[in-house]
Amino acid sequence: MLFRVSLCLLMGSMALAQTAKPASPMAKSTTGTTASSTQKKAAPAVTASDPAVITIQGLCSSSERSAAASKSAPCKTTITRSEFEKMVNAVRPDMPPAQRKQFAEGYAKALVMAHDAHEKGLDRGPTFEEMMKLMRIQIASQEYAKSMHDKAAQISDKDLQDYYDKNATNYRQADLERIYIPKTKQLTSKDNANPDELKKQRDASEAEMKKEAEALHTRAVAGEDFVKLQTDAFDAAGMKVQSPSTKLTNVREGNFPPEQRVIFSLKPNDVSDVLTNQSGYFIYKLDAKNTVPLSQVKEEIRNTLSSQRFQDAMQTAQGSTQLSYDEEYFKALGPNITGGNVPSSMKPVAETHQ
């Protein structure tokens, strides 16, 4: 909860920024100092080339407010374009324009609250220091994960070619026709039928549909239209829904279960044997096949390799350590300890870089 509050204050509506990191307030007040006395570094002056993109009227420290009043000057805090863009780049460099406005609104509101918290002394003390220590650990782990992610994304053309060659079967595709035959008929028995009787009916329907699949296969090999055969298959099963399309276009071998990939070894116009799985029987006819060229799957392969390398790097990093926990301690805390949600910022950093 502590992290969630902190990030909500700093990020406002930027929950969409998956790798968001807290940004340090850098607001310049009218007196030339920052809005919070905890920020001692002077901010850039507002100039024609670096104008203010956020202006908060009335935000300044008590001493600054008094000084401004004595000079009859307005009390305000400004964030220049360079300051704002520096924060955006730290959070998410590719932040869309609409989200930048949302971020500015959220940041301005958080800055006002942070200023009031400082005035009340809420940013000092052991609790605050503990929160900051945890935030530092989390940000450091996020930066590490980001560096591993960036490194994993460095995929060469040779890497792409090697992966493509090694996994050539994944990029074979075909235009197919398919007949699906349900494994059992649609039973019409009453709900209170005897269980033994229901089993007999199921066994009988399975045998009948297996025989139907073999008959349909014979007709398919003889050249009958697959649309007609599919309709007959559903009629035989007593299915009252519309039969599915028989056409499959540009389907990848890798998208099929291993036991059905034999269909990609067929020649054009060949009909497969009857293939079986838990849901029923399948008969395929191969119309055409080809291989997807590397140029069309480069980004797909790049993403696959990057993800694999990132996961391997994170596992290697974690593999150099051993974790153990005092299970008795956690058990003693009671069964409701896992009832709430784990703060998102304390989840494993690998989950934020998918």
Side-chain angles (χ1 to χ4, degrees):
M1 184 63 182
L2 301 181
F3 285 104
R4 181 173 298 171
V5 171
S6 300
L7 290 175
C8 284
L9 290 176
L10 286 169
M11 298 304 138
S13 57
M14 280 308 300
L16 296 177
Q18 295 183 358
T19 59
K21 302 181 288 295
S24 299
M26 295 180 64
K28 183 179 184 298
S29 72
T30 55
T31 61
T33 61
T34 54
S36 171
S37 62
T38 60
Q39 302 292 329
K40 299 299 184 183
K41 185 176 181 180
V46 176
T47 64
S49 61
D50 191 19
V53 295
I54 301 174
T55 301
I56 308 174
Q57 299 286 352
L59 179 62
C60 53
S61 66
S62 300
S63 59
E64 290 170 344
R65 188 176 294 108
S66 298
S70 65
K71 299 177 182 179
S72 299
C75 177
K76 64 182 180 181
T77 293
T78 59
I79 296 93
T80 68
R81 179 193 297 168
S82 63
E83 294 172 317
F84 180 72
E85 290 181 350
K86 185 177 181 180
M87 288 187 290
V88 168
N89 289 334
V91 174
R92 182 180 171 189
D94 62 343
M95 189 184 299
Q99 290 185 10
R100 290 184 182 229
K101 177 63 182 303
Q102 293 174 351
F103 175 78
E105 293 171 351
Y107 176 73
K109 293 176 182 178
L111 195 60
V112 173
M113 297 176 69
H115 164 75
D116 290 346
H118 176 72
E119 293 285 300
K120 299 179 186 301
L122 301 179
D123 59 352
R124 296 179 290 279
T127 299
F128 183 83
E129 293 301 322
E130 192 65 25
M131 291 171 64
M132 292 303 294
K133 181 175 72 173
L134 292 174
M135 286 294 290
R136 184 177 180 84
I137 292 172
Q138 179 62 21
I139 294 171
S141 67
Q142 289 177 341
E143 285 299 301
Y144 177 80
K146 182 179 182 298
S147 70
M148 293 296 100
H149 186 272
D150 292 344
K151 183 177 180 181
Q154 297 174 7
I155 310 296
S156 69
D157 288 343
K158 185 178 184 303
D159 294 333
L160 297 174
Q161 185 68 59
D162 289 346
Y163 184 90
Y164 179 80
D165 293 341
K166 185 178 180 180
N167 298 275
T169 57
N170 290 340
Y171 304 105
R172 291 199 294 182
Q173 65 181 16
D175 294 340
L176 302 162
E177 295 178 66
R178 178 183 63 187
I179 306 168
Y180 164 60
I181 306 100
K183 200 162 191 176
T184 61
K185 298 181 68 173
Q186 191 82 13
L187 298 180
T188 58
S189 299
K190 296 181 180 180
D191 293 338
N192 60 355
N194 184 289
D196 291 336
E197 182 61 28
L198 283 175
K199 184 177 184 307
K200 284 182 179 180
Q201 291 184 31
R202 281 196 298 268
D203 291 345
S205 71
E206 283 189 20
E208 188 174 341
M209 292 310 298
K210 182 178 181 181
K211 185 177 180 180
E212 179 67 23
E214 293 169 351
L216 289 169
H217 179 261
T218 300
R219 293 168 61 188
V221 172
E224 286 198 42
D225 180 65
F226 267 53
V227 174
K228 176 65 167 61
L229 296 176
Q230 179 63 74
T231 300
D232 289 349
F234 266 38
D235 287 345
M239 304 291 287
K240 303 302 182 182
V241 297
Q242 183 177 356
S243 57
S245 172
T246 60
K247 292 288 187 179
L248 300 174
T249 304
N250 290 333
V251 290
R252 297 269 195 93
E253 179 173 349
N255 294 336
F256 281 76
E259 67 273 11
Q260 292 191 10
R261 293 177 188 175
V262 65
I263 61 180
F264 285 83
S265 63
L266 297 174
K267 296 178 181 179
N269 297 317
D270 279 356
V271 175
S272 73
D273 294 332
V274 177
L275 306 176
T276 310
N277 69 13
Q278 291 182 344
S279 67
Y281 305 96
F282 298 86
I283 303 169
Y284 290 92
K285 178 182 177 181
L286 189 139
D287 292 333
K289 62 181 177 181
N290 57 64
T291 301
V292 184
L294 174 59
S295 59
Q296 292 184 17
V297 292
K298 273 190 174 183
E299 287 309 306
E300 176 185 325
I301 296 175
R302 191 184 305 278
N303 292 336
T304 298
L305 284 174
S306 178
S307 178
Q308 288 178 351
R309 292 181 180 184
F310 174 72
Q311 294 297 331
D312 290 345
M314 297 304 294
Q315 289 178 6
T316 298
Q318 295 294 332
S320 63
T321 61
Q322 290 185 341
L323 302 178
S324 61
Y325 305 94
D326 186 344
E327 297 298 342
E328 293 302 319
Y329 165 77
F330 291 108
K331 287 181 181 179
L333 294 177
N336 294 327
I337 190 64
T338 58
N341 294 326
V342 176
S344 60
S345 55
M346 291 308 294
K347 292 180 179 179
V349 291
E351 295 181 7
T352 67
H353 289 269
Q354 297 299 323

